[in-house]
Amino acid sequence: MFWANAELLAEHGLIYPQLGRHTGHHGLVLDWQGMPGHYKLEQGSLEALAETYGQSDKTVFLSSEEFSRRQPLASLGKVRAALEGFDEIEVICTLRTQWQFLQSIYLEVSKTRVPPRPPQLVLPVIENGSFEGLWVDYNRLLDALEAVFAPEEITFFDFDTSRRAEGGIIGTLLRHLGIGVDAARLEVVNDGASNVSPMSLASWTANILAEPKPAPAWLVQSASEALKAEFGDEVKPCLFTREEFCRLKDHYDTRNAELSERRAGVQPEFAISEASQKGLTLFRNEIPSAYWVRMSRRLVADRL
């Protein structure tokens, strides 16, 4: 959204740099993150942005989840050092309830390779607080940030709360930045729902059937159709079993409460939404054999 509306935002003092063909700024951390080569920037760097805008009255907004990876502290230090030309630096993180975040990472990984099976995922994530190099325990993320940035230079937003707010996450950010642009004025991209993942259990089904190779898109689509045929168009699946869900909830609801206490001095109203089963209609352990029979028939029919 910021990429598509960069010209309008610039008129109100907010610069969203268009540094290459990717709308996110992943290439800015290419050197120390081992990012894929296709993220290499056609132009621009952190230092160049500081030189161009550091002494102006503009606010530069950079966006990439790669900034929040589990990484050596030296990496964040490099970011800080490269941006010293600005008179003020703020780190903004939108944090998602952990079971949702884990499910989202699983679905993203599934696009290119075989992810860990969910039973092999939950306990390690609880024990070490990360998955695929991303912090799932946000206390650990805060530890890394506070080693480089002052507490008042860090702002956390709750994903669910922001999404329900006026203008959604975009509206939340615009109000926080105080640039005087209403979210309704921005050109909507992809009907307001970019990078939508497939249904979690459809992706899981396809992964199981395709192992040891990544699941092709047609197989995920076939599994999605089979899920809806078996459980109805309004099915809302969860990647985890009810027991796994509860284990994640018990552990991370507690850790998130600790995070709120840590942020109370600078963000007294901040809290991450507690994990809730509300709205979920199907957990992984509730998949009946009839679904697998249906899926098998679809695969046979596709071959005939």
Side-chain angles (χ1 to χ4, degrees), residues 8-159:
L8 172 64
L9 295 173
E11 292 174 0
H12 290 79
L14 183 70
I15 305 299
Y16 190 88
Q18 296 177 316
L19 304 178
R21 60 190 180 90
H22 293 282
T23 58
H25 298 120
H26 316 310
L28 289 175
V29 294
L30 184 70
D31 292 342
W32 60 83
Q33 284 287 14
M35 296 287 291
H38 62 264
Y39 284 123
K40 185 176 179 62
L41 294 177
E42 301 166 8
Q43 57 184 341
S45 65
L46 290 169
E47 291 83 0
L49 290 170
E51 182 177 347
T52 302
Y53 298 107
Q55 301 303 315
S56 74
D57 61 351
K58 307 290 185 181
T59 295
V60 176
F61 190 98
L62 305 176
S63 177
S64 174
E65 65 183 6
E66 303 306 326
F67 286 118
S68 65
R69 278 194 176 274
R70 180 176 181 171
Q71 56 188 326
L73 288 178
S75 299
L76 286 174
K78 289 179 181 179
V79 173
R80 180 77 196 231
L83 298 176
E84 282 297 335
F86 289 93
D87 62 352
E88 182 181 354
I89 301 173
E90 181 181 10
V91 179
I92 300 174
C93 302
T94 303
L95 305 177
R96 195 169 190 177
T97 304
Q98 278 84 356
W99 78 266
Q100 296 176 352
F101 186 42
L102 276 174
Q103 181 171 274
S104 179
I105 301 173
Y106 174 93
L107 295 173
E108 186 65 27
V109 169
S110 298
K111 295 177 181 178
T112 56
R113 57 185 171 85
V114 180
R117 291 191 175 188
Q120 301 164 351
L121 185 160
V122 172
L123 185 58
V125 165
I126 288 176
E127 290 180 341
N128 64 37
S130 68
F131 179 49
E132 291 292 319
L134 294 166
W135 287 117
V136 179
D137 186 332
Y138 304 135
N139 285 277
R140 305 285 296 278
L141 170 62
L142 184 58
D143 290 341
L145 291 175
E146 287 188 338
V148 179
F149 301 93
E152 60 270 17
E153 293 179 314
I154 302 166
T155 300
F156 285 166
F157 287 120
D158 174 57
F159 178 86

Side-chain angles (χ1 to χ4, degrees), residues 219-238:
L219 185 57
V220 178
Q221 179 61 33
S222 184
S224 298
E225 294 169 358
L227 269 177
K228 290 182 179 180
E230 186 71 29
F231 302 103
D233 289 342
E234 302 305 315
V235 61
K236 299 294 182 184
C238 175

Side-chain angles (χ1 to χ4, degrees), residues 134-203:
L134 294 166
W135 287 117
V136 179
D137 186 332
Y138 304 135
N139 285 277
R140 305 285 296 278
L141 170 62
L142 184 58
D143 290 341
L145 291 175
E146 287 188 338
V148 179
F149 301 93
E152 60 270 17
E153 293 179 314
I154 302 166
T155 300
F156 285 166
F157 287 120
D158 174 57
F159 178 86
D160 287 339
T161 302
S162 299
R163 188 169 56 176
R164 292 192 301 267
E166 182 181 354
I169 291 175
I170 296 294
T172 298
L173 286 172
L174 291 175
R175 284 189 294 276
H176 179 72
L177 295 168
I179 64 169
V181 176
D182 190 273
R185 290 188 59 192
L186 270 61
E187 175 189 346
V188 176
V189 179
N190 297 328
D191 295 324
S194 297
N195 197 29
V196 176
S197 298
M199 288 192 295
S200 57
L201 291 180
S203 181

Side-chain angles (χ1 to χ4, degrees), residues 287-301:
I287 296 280
S289 58
Y291 167 73
W292 292 103
V293 171
R294 183 187 294 274
M295 190 65 197
S296 298
R297 287 174 176 166
R298 294 181 67 90
L299 295 177
V300 171

